[in-house]
Amino acid sequence: MKIFWFIPTHGDSRYLGTSKGARTVDHTYMKQIAVAADNLGYEGVLIPTGRSCEDPWLVAASLIDATTRLKFLVALRPGVTTPALAARMTGTFDRLSNGRLLLNLVTGGDEQELKGDGIFEDHATRYQTASEYTTIWREILTRSHTGESFTFNGERLQVEDAKLLYPPLQQPYPPLWFGGSSEAAQTLAAEQVDSYLTWGEPPAAVKEKIEQLKTKAAAKGRTLSYGIRLHVIVRETNEAAWQAADELLSHVNDDTIAAAQAKFAQMDSVGQQRMAALHGGRRDNLEISPNLWAGIGLVRGGAGTALLGDPQTVAARIQEYADLGIDNFIFSGYPHLEEAYRFAELVFPLLPIDTQNTLVKPNLTGPFGEIVANNYAPPQQTRDTATPKTPTTAAPKHAIAS
C-alpha cells in the first residue's frame, strides 16, 4: 500500500465553488505542500494537468531540489507533445531527480479544451493515437539502455531512427499509470500501462473495474497494479467530519453547481459521466456508499468523492479498497497543506504495519510536542497500530442544506 498526496496547481481553498477562503497557489505554497508531503512520508504527489493548471513538468522540476525522496506523478499528453520529445523529457527528469519520476498518461475528456491545444480527434481516435504514442515512448526509453534506435510507422504516428542518448535511471522506463473507464481506455490500459487508476467509485464498482482489467490484461499476458484517486475528510470524530463536509460546501450556490454540471455533461469522458451520475447534481443524497461522500463532484471535475469520517472509519474504508487489490492511494483535501498533516497524523498510525514501515519516521533528538512549562516533555501517547476493523455503526446520512 503506497500513499500519495496532491499538488493543487489549479487552485486551493477552504470552501468549494467560491472565492471565499481561497489562497494563492504560487511556487512558495506548492513547495510548502511538497516539503510537507516529503517530510511526512508520503510516497509521492500527483500533479494535475490541463489548461486550468500550471504546467506539471515545470512544477515538478521546480520541486526536485526542495525534496529528497518524494516521487512526482507527471502527465504524458499524446498530441500535446511528440512521443520522442516526451521520452527525452522523461529521461532527463528521471536522471535529475535520481529516479523519482512516475508518468500519468492523460488522453483528455473535454473536446473543447483539446481543440485549444490543437487536438482535433474524437474519443476513439484519441485512444488510437495514445496507443501508438505510448508504444513509441516506451520503446525509445527501453532501447536507450542499449543504445538502439527505433522506427515505427503507425496509422497516426511515425518515427524513424528515434534514439535517446541519456537513458532514465529507472529500467526499462519510469512506471506508466493511466485511468479511464471506457472500453477503449480499458483496452489501452491492458496493453500498454503498468498501473491502472480509478476515481473513487463505490467498492462494488471498483471491484468490477479491477476484474475487467485483470481479464483483459491476462489475455495479453500482462499483470497490472491498481490505484485509486480520492479526496479525504478526516476528523477526530465522525460528527466533526460531517460538519467539515457541510462547511466545505457552505458557500457554493446552486447556480454554480448547475453551471459546473452542464460543463461536465458536454465532456466525452466516460469516467466524468460516471462521477456525475453518483450525485446527479443534487445536494441531498451525497453519501453514495458508507463514508463515501460525493459533494466535491458537484463543482470539481475529475475525482469527485471523499472518504469521510473519524480516523478508524477512514482507515477501514482504505483497507476495504486495498482488499479489492488497490495498491496505490492518491489522496487530497482542502486546504491541501493543512490536510496533508491532518491525514498523516490521524490515519498513518492506523495503516497496516507493512505500510507504516515504508513511511518516513521522525528523527528527532528532542521530545515530541511542545515542552510543558519550559521544563517537562509531554507524555508519549500510545497508538493502536493494528489494522482497523470496519465500524459496527454507520456514519449518519447527511444532507447539505441549500
Side-chain angles (χ1 to χ4, degrees):
M1 188 187 295
K2 295 179 180 179
I3 309 296
F4 291 74
W5 198 247
F6 184 83
I7 304 292
T9 62
H10 51 37
D12 200 6
S13 181
R14 292 186 176 276
Y15 307 104
L16 287 173
T18 176
S19 60
K20 183 178 178 63
R23 57 184 58 174
T24 301
V25 180
D26 55 16
H27 186 257
T28 299
Y29 184 62
M30 290 187 286
K31 186 163 71 171
Q32 281 183 286
I33 298 173
V35 171
D38 196 32
N39 291 341
L40 290 166
Y42 288 91
E43 180 80 10
V45 286
L46 169 63
I47 304 177
T49 188
R51 68 180 177 188
S52 64
C53 308
E54 299 281 12
D55 180 76
W57 284 88
L58 290 175
V59 170
S62 75
L63 297 173
I64 290 175
D65 282 351
T67 54
T68 58
R69 58 176 296 279
L70 198 69
K71 296 177 182 177
F72 300 96
L73 182 54
V74 184
L76 279 184
R77 297 296 307 271
V80 177
T81 60
T82 68
L85 173 60
R88 288 198 293 275
M89 293 167 63
T90 298
T92 297
F93 192 104
D94 202 50
R95 293 165 70 89
L96 295 180
S97 67
N98 198 28
R100 293 191 279 144
L101 178 63
L102 303 169
L103 282 305
N104 181 29
L105 183 66
V106 178
T107 59
D110 184 346
E111 287 192 352
Q112 182 180 357
E113 178 181 344
L114 289 166
K115 289 176 181 178
D117 285 334
I119 301 172
F120 293 84
E121 297 178 336
D122 60 20
H123 187 273
T125 306
R126 289 204 305 274
Y127 278 100
Q128 182 182 1
T129 300
S131 180
E132 295 183 5
Y133 179 100
T134 306
T135 297
I136 296 170
W137 173 85
R138 185 183 61 245
E139 288 296 326
I140 291 174
L141 288 164
T142 300
R143 294 167 187 242
S144 69
H145 298 286
T146 58
E148 300 176 67
S149 62
F150 178 62
T151 296
F152 179 86
N153 291 291
E155 294 184 21
R156 305 294 304 171
L157 301 172
Q158 298 84 35
V159 292
E160 183 176 339
D161 290 329
K163 192 173 186 179
L164 179 63
L165 299 179
Y166 299 96
L169 292 186
Q170 298 180 79
Q171 297 194 31
Y173 52 84
L176 182 63
W177 297 22
F178 170 73
S181 296
S182 68
E183 181 69 22
Q186 291 193 4
T187 299
L188 176 64
E191 294 176 347
Q192 298 277 8
V193 308
D194 304 299
S195 185
Y196 176 79
L197 289 172
T198 179
W199 286 327
E201 298 182 23
V206 172
K207 179 181 179 181
E208 182 181 15
K209 273 188 179 181
I210 291 176
E211 290 175 349
Q212 291 170 348
L213 263 296
K214 284 184 176 180
T215 299
K216 290 179 180 292
K220 302 290 182 181
R222 305 184 70 239
T223 58
L224 308 179
S225 65
Y226 297 90
I228 193 167
R229 171 77 180 97
L230 285 156
H231 305 276
V232 64
I233 302 174
V234 61
R235 297 295 185 269
E236 294 194 16
T237 66
N238 277 312
E239 292 75 16
W242 284 105
Q243 181 179 352
D246 277 0
E247 292 173 353
L248 195 58
L249 290 180
S250 62
H251 296 284
V252 64
N253 59 50
D254 291 340
D255 289 342
T256 300
I257 293 174
Q261 295 304 307
K263 176 59 179 176
F264 300 152
Q266 296 173 1
M267 299 180 182
D268 63 11
S269 165
V270 175
Q272 183 62 65
Q273 294 166 8
R274 290 169 68 111
M275 280 282 101
L278 295 175
H279 51 70
R282 296 168 54 111
R283 298 174 183 253
D284 58 352
N285 191 27
L286 294 176
E287 190 182 18
I288 57 172
S289 181
N291 308 103
L292 183 64
W293 183 73
I296 293 172
L298 291 176
V299 292
R300 185 195 191 279
T305 55
L307 296 182
L308 190 156
D310 63 23
Q312 292 75 21
T313 299
V314 169
R317 298 306 177 211
I318 293 172
Q319 187 61 50
E320 187 175 4
Y321 284 110
D323 290 341
L324 299 179
I326 298 292
D327 304 305
N328 301 303
F329 292 81
I330 305 174
F331 292 115
S332 58
Y334 297 90
H336 289 73
L337 178 60
E338 292 92 317
E339 293 302 309
Y341 278 97
R342 193 194 306 269
F343 181 77
E345 291 168 358
L346 295 180
V347 180
F348 278 11
L350 298 175
L351 296 177
I353 293 298
D354 57 347
T355 299
Q356 290 190 48
N357 289 340
T358 67
L359 302 173
V360 172
K361 302 296 191 300
N363 184 20
L364 304 179
T365 57
F368 293 86
E370 185 178 23
I371 299 298
V372 178
N374 298 326
N375 190 40
Y376 306 105
Q380 294 288 332
Q381 298 295 315
T382 301
R383 291 181 171 178
D384 179 10
T385 57
T387 301
K389 298 180 180 179
T390 302
T392 56
T393 57
K397 295 284 183 180
H398 208 74
I400 305 296
S402 299

